[in-house]
Structures are given as C-alpha cells and as structure tokens.
Amino acid sequence: MIATGSGQAPDRFPGAAMLTREEIHEAQRVYWDGAGGDKWLRRSDDIDANVAPAQRAALATADIRAGGRVLDIGCGTGGSTLALAERVGVNGRVLALDISHAMIGVARNRALSLPQVECVVGDAATHAFERESFDLAFSRFGIMFFGDPPAAFANIRGALKPNGKLVFVCWRPIDENPWMRVPLRAVCKHAPRPPRPGPEDPGPFAFGDPARATRVLTAAGFATPRIEPFDFDIDLALGRGLEAAVETASNVGAASAALTGQPDDVRAAAVDELRRELAPLERDGRVALAAAVWIVSAARGPA
C-alpha cells in the first residue's frame, strides 16, 4: 500500500505481472515518499478544491459524530484531516497517516491549532495502529495505491472498534471520467498511450470495479460493502481560464503519464492538441468536465 491523498498514479509504473507484491509495495512507497509526494505537494490546494464535492459526499456517508475517533488514511497535505477534525471536535481524535514525509509536514502545519489531530508518516499495511480503538477509517482517494491491499485493509480493520466502519472515495473507470479521458485522448494523438494498468495494479482506477472492491474488503474481514456512485464536475481551470486548464491537464492524471519522458517537440504538439480540445469547453474562465467516483462504506464485520 501507499497512503496518499493525491488521487493520481505514478507517471510510470510496471504492471503487477512484472513484479512481486513486495516489489510493487516498495515501488509505491518510494514514489509517494519522493517524486510523487513532491509533485502533489505543489498542487495540493487545487486538488482540495477540485475534489471537495466528493469529499463532502464521503463525509456525509461517514456520519461522523462529535467525540469520535477517526483514522484518515492517505491524508496527503491534510485537506480531509481538517474536515474530519471539525466534525469530531476537540473531544475527538483524528490520526492522519500518509507515506510522504513532505506532505505530512504540511498537514502537521495546517493542524497546529487542532489538539485533536496527530499526523504521522506511515504505511497502512504495516503501521502499528492502536487495536480496536477507532470508530471510523476514512480515505479520500488514498486507498487506490495500496501495494498490498489485503494487508492494508486487514491492518485498518484491526484498528477499528467492533462496531466501527470504513468509508472511502475512489475513482470509477476512466470511461466514466471525462476530466481524465478527454485530455488523454488529445495528447495521445501525438504521444504514445501509456500502458494500461492491470486490474490488480495500484493506480487511480484500482477499485473502479465494484466486484474487486467487494472481494478485497470481504477477504480482509469487512462486511459486504455498500458502493454508491457519485458524480460531480472538475473545473480544470479553477476559474483561471484556458491556459490554466491546459497546464493542469498536462501535469496530472493519465495525460501527464503519456507526456512523461517525451521529447520537447512531441510534448509541444500534444499540449497544442490539448489546448484545441479544451478551448470549446471554456465558459467564463472555467473548463469543467465530468468526474465519477464510488463512495464505499463497510462495517468492520465479525471477528
């Protein structure tokens, strides 16, 4: 596993068929505690703004009560952590976990005035959580990058009280996410399409198949999950106009993966293509495209 709040995949990542589970796990750890974490650190404010509707939907499903004890898995720079802390209040507790030292540093600074929050660097598959101590495990796009999902979910389950639950938000398949599909289609008119991850590989669509999410969670001891669709729009420009949208689309998600390592002329042609594709979508500084996620919730299940 790697706990991260970014919602995106490494730019280049070999398929599971080429690596052992341990090698996948280590590759994810190295990426998110290095280049991946640093990259998302630079875009964290935009990420928080764009995924806010999905975060609100997941928090509503979680139904967090004042005084509750919550794990925030893959907290990133703390956007979800602050929202959880507000809901549990000063008498509650939020333990926020991420593999990235850089992102945890930012999360700690953002939570300095919140005594109910503790931010730690750690791996959800191996971290020594207090056993049966938490009411809720929550994740905003942090679970898709687990290098060892069975170990990670089993470890998280062990940290939950007998009546505790897990709630996370993850992307539905790319065909349902034009905000990633449209930029990828544009840049791949000039750059090679990146290898499609295997169905068991870490990545943004690792739990896009509800059957896989159900299989992995129940194998880890959770009850059969409830999996609900949620749709919203992502404004690639965040109100800043076409060029901001082009910059975002070429540096996040699947389009970014396609452009990684390409020569300057290929990249320039691909970015021009992307600009032409997005220009008709601009409205009053916004370039909004549809986004689609699952809100997944599961009771801890019997011991």
Side-chain angles (χ1 to χ4, degrees):
M1 150 281 160
I2 287 310
T4 135
S6 70
Q8 301 301 328
D11 294 323
R12 298 291 184 197
F13 189 72
M18 300 169 59
L19 299 173
T20 66
R21 179 177 290 174
E22 291 76 16
E23 289 170 332
I24 293 170
H25 188 94
E26 179 62 11
Q28 289 285 301
R29 187 195 67 77
V30 168
Y31 179 81
W32 288 112
D33 196 26
D38 293 343
K39 177 180 179 179
W40 242 255
L41 187 61
R42 296 190 294 270
R43 312 192 72 89
S44 61
D45 289 344
D46 287 359
I47 292 166
D48 284 348
N50 267 324
V51 303
Q55 177 174 291
R56 287 193 295 270
L59 289 169
T61 295
D63 189 26
I64 301 161
R65 306 299 173 88
R69 295 168 61 87
V70 181
L71 288 175
D72 187 9
I73 303 296
C75 67
T77 58
S80 53
T81 306
L82 299 182
L84 292 165
E86 180 181 4
R87 284 160 176 76
V88 302
V90 294
N91 294 320
R93 183 190 177 199
V94 178
L95 177 62
L97 184 83
D98 201 283
I99 205 68
S100 167
H101 285 78
M103 288 198 283
I104 281 290
V106 173
R108 283 177 179 149
N109 285 336
R110 295 177 74 182
L112 280 176
S113 64
L114 300 172
Q116 68 269 44
V117 173
E118 179 184 6
C119 300
V120 298
V121 175
D123 182 329
T126 58
H127 188 78
F129 296 117
E130 299 172 47
R131 312 313 287 174
E132 298 190 353
S133 296
F134 294 90
D135 303 293
L136 172 71
F138 183 88
S139 184
R140 187 196 77 181
F141 299 112
I143 58 86
M144 296 106 64
F145 303 96
F146 288 170
D148 190 348
F153 283 116
N155 196 35
I156 292 166
R157 180 185 175 276
L160 292 172
K161 295 176 181 179
N163 63 345
K165 66 179 177 180
L166 167 72
V167 175
F168 65 80
V169 55
C170 63
W171 297 113
R172 296 192 340 241
I174 193 169
D175 288 346
E176 299 181 55
N177 278 282
W179 79 274
M180 282 192 272
R181 188 187 73 239
V182 170
L184 177 64
R185 181 185 63 198
V187 302
C188 286
K189 292 179 181 179
H190 302 275
R193 188 182 180 99
R196 186 181 294 273
E200 302 293 317
D201 289 0
F205 309 111
F207 289 94
D209 179 1
R212 188 196 181 214
T214 299
R215 171 171 55 81
V216 171
L217 290 174
T218 55
F222 286 95
T224 301
R226 182 177 181 179
I227 303 175
E228 298 180 297
F230 179 76
D231 300 291
F232 63 109
D233 286 339
I234 285 182
D235 174 14
L236 293 173
L238 283 172
R240 301 190 293 252
L242 176 62
E243 290 309 311
V246 171
E247 194 277 334
T248 295
S250 59
N251 284 282
V252 302
S256 174
L259 292 174
T260 298
Q262 294 302 313
D264 290 346
D265 59 335
V266 171
R267 185 177 180 89
V271 169
D272 284 344
E273 190 74 42
L274 179 58
R275 184 177 291 107
R276 285 191 291 272
E277 187 79 23
L278 296 181
L281 305 177
E282 184 183 7
R283 299 288 186 278
D284 299 322
R286 300 180 76 249
V287 180
L289 289 159
V293 299
W294 297 118
I295 308 294
V296 180
S297 57
R300 180 185 186 271

